[in-house]
Amino acid sequence: MGPQILRIVPLGGLGELGRNMLVLECAEDLVVIDVGVMFPENDMLGVDVLIPDFSYVLERADKLRAIIITHGHEDHIGALPFLLRRVRAPVYATRLTRGLIEVKLDEAQIRDVDMHTIQPGDDLEVGPFRFEFFHVSHSIPDGVGLGIQTPVGLVVHSGDFKFDHSPVDGRRTDFAKLAELGGRGVKLLLSDSTNAEKPGYTPSEQVLGETLSRVFAGARGRVIVATFASNISRIQQIIDTSQYYHRHVAIVGRSMVDNVLIARELGYLHVPEGVLLSLEQLKQLPDEQVTIICTGSQGEPTSALVRMGQQRFRPVSIVPGDTVIVSATPIPGNEEFVNRTLDNLFRLGANVFYDEVLDVHVSGHASQEEQKLLINMLQPEYFVPIHGEYRHLVLHGKLAQRCGLKPENIFVIETGDVLELSAAGAEVVGHVSDTRVFVDGRGIGDLEQSVIEERRLLAGNGFLVAVVLVDKYTGGLLREPQIVTRGFVYEAESPDLLERAKEAVAKAVEWGGSRLEIEDRLQESLARLAFEQTGRRPIVIPVVVKV
Amino acid sequence: MGPQILRIVPLGGLGELGRNMLVLECAEDLVVIDVGVMFPENDMLGVDVLIPDFSYVLERADKLRAIIITHGHEDHIGALPFLLRRVRAPVYATRLTRGLIEVKLDEAQIRDVDMHTIQPGDDLEVGPFRFEFFHVSHSIPDGVGLGIQTPVGLVVHSGDFKFDHSPVDGRRTDFAKLAELGGRGVKLLLSDSTNAEKPGYTPSEQVLGETLSRVFAGARGRVIVATFASNISRIQQIIDTSQYYHRHVAIVGRSMVDNVLIARELGYLHVPEGVLLSLEQLKQLPDEQVTIICTGSQGEPTSALVRMGQQRFRPVSIVPGDTVIVSATPIPGNEEFVNRTLDNLFRLGANVFYDEVLDVHVSGHASQEEQKLLINMLQPEYFVPIHGEYRHLVLHGKLAQRCGLKPENIFVIETGDVLELSAAGAEVVGHVSDTRVFVDGRGIGDLEQSVIEERRLLAGNGFLVAVVLVDKYTGGLLREPQIVTRGFVYEAESPDLLERAKEAVAKAVEWGGSRLEIEDRLQESLARLAFEQTGRRPIVIPVVVKV
């Protein structure tokens, strides 16, 4: 790789939702942008989170100069502890993002990380790259986009962004900087594709204030609002609205409490003294003076809202007259959990407002018109849609084409693809290891796809283990075989089946042979018996012991 | 229960999506309306379908006079074979519905069912009830609503309906009959709540024809359309549009082929000779003369469309230039499967149209304005929202209140609740057995919740079985214990863990004691070891055998 070549290697987030991570590489220098986690889909059984495959970076650890984080969402910072356990480099982030990262590193007991605070307007030289940070509005404060001067030209990375013309914190996406970057001539734009399916403009976060106000105005009892713990602007608006209606506020749920604490400390959340109270203190107040902000907007099983719905959250019992606002849209895969929670809250008599019946959520990502605006302001020569499932990338690519970019200059690439840019042009030159690394408990990447596959079988049909003792001299069955099953049949109700399994064992043993031969025979006959009797296919494991 | 009391007992479909079944009962007579299945949610592991708890009907089998089916969707007919295996009664259905039921009974090898064809306009006397059938438009032809003269007054059951003013088959919901019923004075209305969250009107099925036409006009290669096999009107429109654009059509997918066959035979689908061809015959034609209609619009793993996306459907390989239309909205819980399929199709270079980017689907259910229209046409004294999850029922109840019904006359009841109507008024008098009966393989209802719970544990963490032979005289370990795991760790990569497990076994055996004592001790120490080493909690089962 010559010095005048720039490599772009996405290690996550292209063709999938989450685990965003991108490598920029030039001869002897390598920079990582974002290191996020991805949340498992419903059939990735037992997986806590997925992280990027770090191999490409680890194999080039001596070239790694910096890790730059665009904002503090989990899909951009969540895998940082895993990376920093394997390799170290200076980490650059804005103040709030840094605060959120530090909580995470603390929890993971990772110390002595070389952290640097950046702010919009800063310039940062790293090897042959010069980074210029500019503010972007998003559903968490303090997000940045990147102008990156490289040996092959100017690259712009949008971060996660929207063009909110009236953001709650007053900080707009930096149009002036974008115009200036556009004026300098942009070689390559990497831009957020999350909402490439959505026509028009994403509404301002501020419109939510009006909706909240309407609901609060009509509320007679307590108001309980569930939303994303990271959406500080929304929390600000809920607190402001509560104050306006003379309500005090309690914050419930660990991530919510943590985020509010950091955001207040760092000045991103403004709450007058005396407004925030504990749940205990709120109990002294009449219901119409109470607001509770809590986690659970995605139906997370252990969250406060979900437990309230199940009447398993001690401090708060939902009663008729309570108003509940679920200020979020279900992330695909969470619909059933969210719906169950909504139904439970309705059953307890609450007035429930949620995205299907009221505009209680706005997205933090640019819709099509904003995506086109960014493309047109920058007029890049090359375009790579980032942050999106495959269809989002394709649709974003088509938008760029409609904006006048040459089709051959639009690269719809996926995680692991290697794109090289030089004076001569751009091309995809290969594909690197892009395994979805599963984290389950303390195991990182030791969870093979085969184990997930076993879980899928177990989930569908359970298992049956037969422990069989055979006399090594006579070859006869030494005693009644022991049959252990879980997730297959309800044993108490299936004595007949277990009886027949024991008969099958006796027959298989009669035929004699080596331990393995008997096990093979048993495996087959028990599986057949199980299917014939129940139509199910449990994992069948015979354990034959010759004594 | 006196002769002047009417009992309404929903055995499914109220507070849940699917397994619709409703009992009407009067002194010595009982009628069942619909007998549907429900599809399992993502965490009902290994369950094929759920059916109603028939206990209430079985306990009163001698009173069962008739089973009346409103239309041929699975959530209204799917559990009929299960019921008819336990109890028999005459079954009444319209022609197409009957056709679909007969296919189902054939498959289940249930014979000699006393089937009767009804048609809109018919009157049917059953015990003290007189049923009057009227046509309703829905996403399957030949749906009916019911006017039911009972000893306590006139009851109207909406079936699943919408007010389509320009239905594809020309058959509108019967306004005249509704007006006539309204004029007679309606005691109780039972009405479809599915879309109670949706404001306004549901668009006519016909608007889809225009959308299809636009997509077909722009298509250069093959057009592949996935939709619900039961939506005969949509299939009709796809065939009509294909003809208009000089395309021949192949039907792919078992349920799609079956339904098209019945619908053509019975005259519900009109296809001129020569339009339908086999996939084999289509191969002889240029791509721009080819349409394929197939299953898979919900991302069902074994469906044609899903396999096309995975390049595992032999007869059809997706190529750039193909146009794919997924003419459906994902049912909650199916989003991830649908999204994966869309992405796969995009990856193969197809132009894909789906509900997020184009109006390629309309609902078959009434939205709020239509629900209100029905309430106002009938002006019932009492109202029970049916067919919906709990929040839909609550919202539908609120609509009825806004239409002027007395709040105390609106009963938001759930599956299993018993509502009694008499001259004196209406009240909920109790609750009957409403178990969600799981069907898994050939097992009906033998799948206990505890087994599902075991599957959930297995799905999350797998299992570990330790087979330990102990000398019954010395109490010593007879040989190296055997550890069997699945879904827990990848054995080849965890020799250390298995080694330590064996040590733990040795230690536990040393302490001696009875078989059960050793097993208890082993259970605890192995579970602790597993958690300490991996952070996971597999099901741990020690099998100690004294020899």
Side-chain angles (χ1 to χ4, degrees):
Chain A
M1 199 166 85
Q4 297 304 311
I5 293 176
L6 172 68
R7 265 197 176 180
I8 316 276
V9 191
L11 294 179
L14 274 71
E16 55 193 358
L17 209 76
R19 67 162 191 160
N20 296 295
M21 181 170 181
L22 189 89
V23 166
L24 290 189
E25 188 183 7
C26 242
E28 292 312 307
D29 302 278
L30 186 152
V31 172
V32 164
I33 301 171
D34 291 333
V35 192
V37 293
M38 176 173 167
F39 295 99
E41 301 185 1
N42 279 319
D43 56 359
M44 297 175 184
L45 299 169
V47 176
D48 300 333
V49 292
L50 294 88
I51 61 175
D53 183 334
F54 298 137
S55 316
Y56 189 84
V57 173
L58 298 177
E59 287 158 11
R60 290 158 184 79
D62 56 318
K63 295 165 75 175
L64 178 61
R65 303 285 168 254
I67 298 166
I68 291 173
I69 305 292
T70 59
H71 63 281
H73 276 149
E74 282 298 318
D75 55 335
H76 294 258
I77 68 171
L80 204 44
F82 300 96
L83 180 64
L84 291 174
R85 276 209 191 93
R86 311 287 299 277
V87 68
R88 287 296 174 100
V91 177
Y92 298 88
T94 57
R95 224 150 51 91
L96 179 65
T97 307
R98 178 177 174 167
L100 294 167
I101 291 171
E102 283 172 344
V103 170
K104 197 164 281 298
L105 297 180
D106 251 21
E107 270 173 20
Q109 303 188 303
I110 296 177
R111 312 200 195 290
D112 306 319
V113 175
D114 184 16
M115 294 280 301
H116 299 267
T117 303
I118 49 145
Q119 49 186 351
D122 283 359
D123 278 15
L124 172 70
E125 299 261 0
V126 181
F129 305 113
R130 201 176 82 237
F131 286 86
E132 304 170 41
F133 303 96
F134 57 90
H135 183 265
V136 290
S137 52
H138 184 42
S139 43
I140 186 169
D142 233 9
V144 290
L146 314 170
I148 314 164
Q149 199 56 253
T150 77
V152 304
L154 182 59
V155 174
V156 175
H157 184 298
S158 72
D160 277 0
F161 81 104
K162 66 192 275 194
F163 285 120
D164 191 334
H165 292 288
S166 53
V168 173
D169 63 3
R171 300 179 70 204
R172 285 161 194 81
T173 295
D174 191 343
F175 286 97
K177 182 67 186 180
L178 286 170
E180 189 254 321
L181 289 168
R184 275 151 62 187
V186 174
K187 184 81 171 177
L188 167 68
L189 169 62
L190 304 149
S191 180
D192 175 12
S193 312
T194 311
N195 275 355
E197 292 171 335
K198 306 266 181 275
Y201 278 88
T202 304
S204 169
E205 178 71 25
Q206 203 156 91
V207 304
L208 258 169
E210 296 155 28
T211 311
L212 287 172
S213 187
R214 243 176 23 244
V215 176
F216 271 73
R220 294 288 156 264
R222 296 176 298 184
V223 176
I224 296 158
V225 192
T227 192
F228 297 104
S230 59
N231 197 328
I232 305 298
S233 292
R234 194 157 308 168
I235 296 171
Q236 181 77 62
Q237 292 197 93
I238 300 164
I239 293 174
D240 292 349
T241 310
S242 298
Q243 267 197 279
Y244 182 86
Y245 288 100
H246 311 290
R247 287 171 185 266
H248 287 265
V249 180
I251 309 287
V252 176
R254 199 177 68 101
S255 58
M256 191 66 90
V257 169
D258 286 355
N259 282 15
V260 165
L261 196 72
I262 296 174
R264 270 188 95 179
E265 234 176 72
L266 300 180
Y268 291 88
L269 188 66
H270 307 284
V271 192
E273 284 305 314
V275 170
L276 289 188
L277 296 177
S278 69
L279 281 177
E280 213 39 61
Q281 293 169 311
L282 282 189
K283 281 201 179 137
Q284 315 307 318
L285 297 176
D287 284 353
E288 66 271 20
Q289 292 176 26
V290 170
T291 298
I292 296 167
I293 306 179
C294 65
T295 52
S297 63
Q298 291 298 315
E300 304 91 326
T302 59
S303 65
L305 189 73
V306 170
R307 287 187 290 144
M308 286 181 207
Q310 297 165 336
Q311 300 185 277
R312 293 197 300 110
F313 187 71
R314 281 281 184 89
V316 181
S317 299
I318 300 287
V319 293
D322 283 341
T323 296
V324 178
I325 305 171
V326 180
S327 179
T329 294
I331 293 166
N334 293 348
E335 291 82 356
E336 289 178 347
F337 302 114
V338 173
N339 286 344
R340 274 183 221 171
T341 298
L342 295 174
D343 279 356
N344 285 338
L345 294 165
F346 270 114
R347 284 194 180 97
L348 297 172
N351 295 313
V352 190
F353 298 90
Y354 55 104
D355 74 325
E356 287 286 336
V357 295
L358 196 69
D359 293 330
V360 287
H361 177 67
V362 297
S363 170
H365 299 273
S367 297
Q368 290 176 356
E369 291 306 315
E370 295 157 275
Q371 292 172 335
K372 287 194 273 183
L373 180 55
L374 183 68
I375 293 167
N376 279 332
M377 286 179 81
L378 296 174
Q379 297 190 36
E381 192 179 341
Y382 294 96
F383 180 64
V384 173
I386 60 172
H387 304 173
E389 299 197 324
Y390 194 75
R391 64 194 179 284
H392 304 131
L393 306 181
V394 171
L395 295 170
H396 201 182
K398 285 187 181 166
L399 280 188
Q401 199 178 328
R402 241 176 283 155
C403 290
L405 269 68
K406 291 185 199 148
E408 64 272 23
N409 285 4
I410 297 167
F411 288 86
V412 176
I413 59 174
E414 290 198 78
T415 297
D417 286 335
V418 179
L419 179 70
E420 284 193 356
L421 250 82
S422 67
E427 61 175 329
V428 175
V429 297
H431 192 88
V432 303
S433 174
D434 66 350
T435 318
R436 289 183 166 182
V437 178
F438 297 134
V439 179
D440 174 24
R442 260 185 297 289
I444 302 159
D446 65 344
L447 196 66
E448 291 283 319
Q449 190 57 46
S450 63
V451 176
I452 301 281
E453 202 40 58
E454 287 171 2
R455 289 183 182 175
R456 208 164 292 166
L457 292 172
L458 289 169
N461 296 277
F463 73 86
L464 184 159
V465 171
V467 179
V468 179
L469 266 59
V470 175
D471 188 308
K472 64 179 161 187
Y473 301 113
T474 68
L477 200 58
L478 258 183
R479 64 176 64 192
E480 182 141 286
Q482 252 182 287
I483 310 275
V484 177
T485 81
R486 290 290 187 280
F488 167 46
V489 288
Y490 183 54
E491 295 195 27
E493 296 198 346
S494 312
D496 181 52
L497 177 69
L498 297 181
E499 222 33 68
R500 297 196 50 174
K502 287 176 184 173
E503 285 166 24
V505 169
K507 201 176 279 176
V509 171
E510 252 173 44
W511 279 67
S514 71
R515 184 175 65 78
L516 286 179
E517 280 166 352
I518 300 176
E519 283 184 352
D520 276 358
R521 204 179 302 134
L522 265 176
Q523 149 76 40
E524 205 220 303
S525 67
L526 288 174
R528 197 178 49 232
L529 176 70
F531 185 71
E532 280 170 8
Q533 293 282 302
T534 67
R536 300 174 201 162
R537 299 184 185 283
I539 294 188
V540 171
I541 307 172
V543 179
V544 171
V545 190
K546 291 210 167 188
V547 184
Chain B
M1 199 166 86
Q4 296 305 311
I5 292 176
L6 172 69
R7 265 196 177 180
I8 315 278
V9 191
L11 293 179
L14 274 70
E16 57 192 356
L17 209 74
R19 65 163 192 160
N20 296 296
M21 181 170 180
L22 190 90
V23 166
L24 290 188
E25 188 183 5
C26 242
E28 291 313 308
D29 303 278
L30 186 154
V31 172
V32 164
I33 301 171
D34 291 333
V35 191
V37 293
M38 176 173 168
F39 295 99
E41 300 185 0
N42 279 318
D43 56 359
M44 296 175 184
L45 299 168
V47 176
D48 300 333
V49 293
L50 294 89
I51 61 175
D53 183 334
F54 299 137
S55 317
Y56 190 85
V57 174
L58 298 178
E59 287 158 11
R60 292 159 182 79
D62 55 318
K63 295 165 76 175
L64 178 61
R65 304 284 168 255
I67 299 166
I68 292 172
I69 305 292
T70 59
H71 63 282
H73 276 148
E74 281 298 318
D75 55 336
H76 293 258
I77 68 171
L80 203 44
F82 299 97
L83 180 64
L84 292 175
R85 276 209 193 93
R86 310 287 298 277
V87 68
R88 287 296 174 99
V91 177
Y92 298 87
T94 56
R95 224 151 52 90
L96 179 65
T97 308
R98 176 175 176 170
L100 294 166
I101 291 171
E102 283 172 342
V103 170
K104 197 165 282 298
L105 297 180
D106 250 21
E107 271 173 20
Q109 303 187 303
I110 296 178
R111 311 200 196 288
D112 305 319
V113 175
D114 184 16
M115 294 280 300
H116 299 266
T117 303
I118 48 145
Q119 51 186 351
D122 283 359
D123 278 15
L124 172 68
E125 300 263 358
V126 182
F129 306 113
R130 200 176 82 238
F131 287 86
E132 303 169 43
F133 304 97
F134 57 92
H135 183 264
V136 290
S137 52
H138 183 43
S139 44
I140 186 168
D142 232 8
V144 290
L146 313 170
I148 315 164
Q149 200 56 255
T150 77
V152 305
L154 182 58
V155 175
V156 176
H157 183 298
S158 72
D160 277 359
F161 81 104
K162 66 192 273 193
F163 284 120
D164 191 334
H165 292 289
S166 53
V168 173
D169 62 5
R171 301 179 68 203
R172 288 163 192 78
T173 294
D174 191 343
F175 286 98
K177 181 69 185 181
L178 286 170
E180 189 255 321
L181 290 167
R184 274 150 64 184
V186 174
K187 183 83 172 178
L188 166 69
L189 170 61
L190 304 149
S191 179
D192 175 12
S193 312
T194 312
N195 275 355
E197 293 171 334
K198 307 265 180 275
Y201 277 88
T202 303
S204 169
E205 178 71 26
Q206 202 156 94
V207 304
L208 259 171
E210 296 156 28
T211 311
L212 288 172
S213 187
R214 242 173 26 242
V215 176
F216 271 72
R220 293 288 155 266
R222 295 177 299 185
V223 176
I224 297 157
V225 192
T227 193
F228 297 104
S230 59
N231 198 326
I232 304 299
S233 292
R234 193 156 309 167
I235 296 170
Q236 181 76 62
Q237 291 197 95
I238 301 165
I239 293 174
D240 292 349
T241 311
S242 298
Q243 268 196 278
Y244 183 85
Y245 287 100
H246 311 292
R247 288 172 183 267
H248 286 266
V249 180
I251 308 289
V252 176
R254 199 176 67 102
S255 58
M256 190 68 89
V257 170
D258 286 355
N259 282 15
V260 164
L261 197 72
I262 295 174
R264 270 188 93 179
E265 235 177 70
L266 300 179
Y268 291 89
L269 186 67
H270 308 284
V271 192
E273 285 304 314
V275 170
L276 290 188
L277 297 177
S278 69
L279 281 177
E280 213 41 61
Q281 292 169 312
L282 282 188
K283 280 200 181 137
Q284 316 305 319
L285 298 176
D287 284 354
E288 67 270 21
Q289 292 176 25
V290 170
T291 298
I292 296 167
I293 306 179
C294 65
T295 52
S297 63
Q298 292 297 317
E300 304 91 326
T302 58
S303 64
L305 189 74
V306 170
R307 287 187 291 145
M308 285 181 207
Q310 297 165 336
Q311 300 184 276
R312 295 196 301 109
F313 186 72
R314 281 281 185 91
V316 181
S317 299
I318 300 287
V319 294
D322 284 341
T323 296
V324 178
I325 305 172
V326 180
S327 181
T329 293
I331 293 166
N334 292 347
E335 291 83 357
E336 289 179 345
F337 301 113
V338 173
N339 287 344
R340 273 183 222 170
T341 298
L342 295 174
D343 279 356
N344 285 338
L345 295 165
F346 270 113
R347 284 194 180 96
L348 297 172
N351 295 312
V352 190
F353 297 91
Y354 54 104
D355 73 324
E356 288 286 334
V357 296
L358 196 68
D359 293 329
V360 286
H361 177 67
V362 297
S363 169
H365 299 273
S367 296
Q368 290 175 356
E369 291 307 314
E370 294 157 275
Q371 291 172 336
K372 287 194 273 183
L373 179 56
L374 183 68
I375 293 167
N376 278 333
M377 286 180 81
L378 295 175
Q379 297 189 40
E381 191 179 341
Y382 294 95
F383 180 65
V384 173
I386 60 172
H387 304 173
E389 298 197 324
Y390 195 76
R391 64 196 178 284
H392 305 132
L393 305 181
V394 172
L395 295 170
H396 200 182
K398 285 187 181 166
L399 279 188
Q401 200 178 329
R402 241 177 284 153
C403 290
L405 269 69
K406 290 185 198 146
E408 65 272 23
N409 285 5
I410 297 167
F411 288 86
V412 176
I413 58 175
E414 290 197 79
T415 296
D417 287 336
V418 179
L419 178 70
E420 284 193 358
L421 251 82
S422 66
E427 62 176 328
V428 175
V429 298
H431 191 88
V432 303
S433 175
D434 65 351
T435 318
R436 288 182 169 184
V437 178
F438 297 134
V439 179
D440 174 23
R442 259 184 299 287
I444 301 159
D446 65 345
L447 196 65
E448 290 284 318
Q449 190 57 45
S450 63
V451 176
I452 300 282
E453 201 42 57
E454 288 171 0
R455 289 183 182 175
R456 207 165 293 165
L457 293 172
L458 290 169
N461 296 277
F463 73 86
L464 185 158
V465 170
V467 179
V468 179
L469 264 60
V470 175
D471 188 308
K472 63 179 162 187
Y473 301 113
T474 68
L477 200 57
L478 258 184
R479 64 176 64 193
E480 180 140 285
Q482 252 180 288
I483 310 277
V484 177
T485 81
R486 291 291 187 280
F488 168 46
V489 287
Y490 182 54
E491 295 194 27
E493 295 198 348
S494 312
D496 182 53
L497 177 70
L498 296 182
E499 222 32 67
R500 296 196 50 177
K502 287 176 186 173
E503 286 165 25
V505 169
K507 202 176 280 175
V509 171
E510 254 174 44
W511 279 68
S514 73
R515 186 176 63 79
L516 286 179
E517 281 166 352
I518 301 175
E519 282 184 351
D520 276 358
R521 204 178 303 132
L522 263 176
Q523 149 75 40
E524 203 218 308
S525 67
L526 288 175
R528 196 176 50 233
L529 175 71
F531 186 70
E532 280 170 7
Q533 293 282 302
T534 66
R536 301 175 200 163
R537 300 186 185 283
I539 293 187
V540 172
I541 306 171
V543 179
V544 172
V545 189
K546 291 210 168 188
V547 183

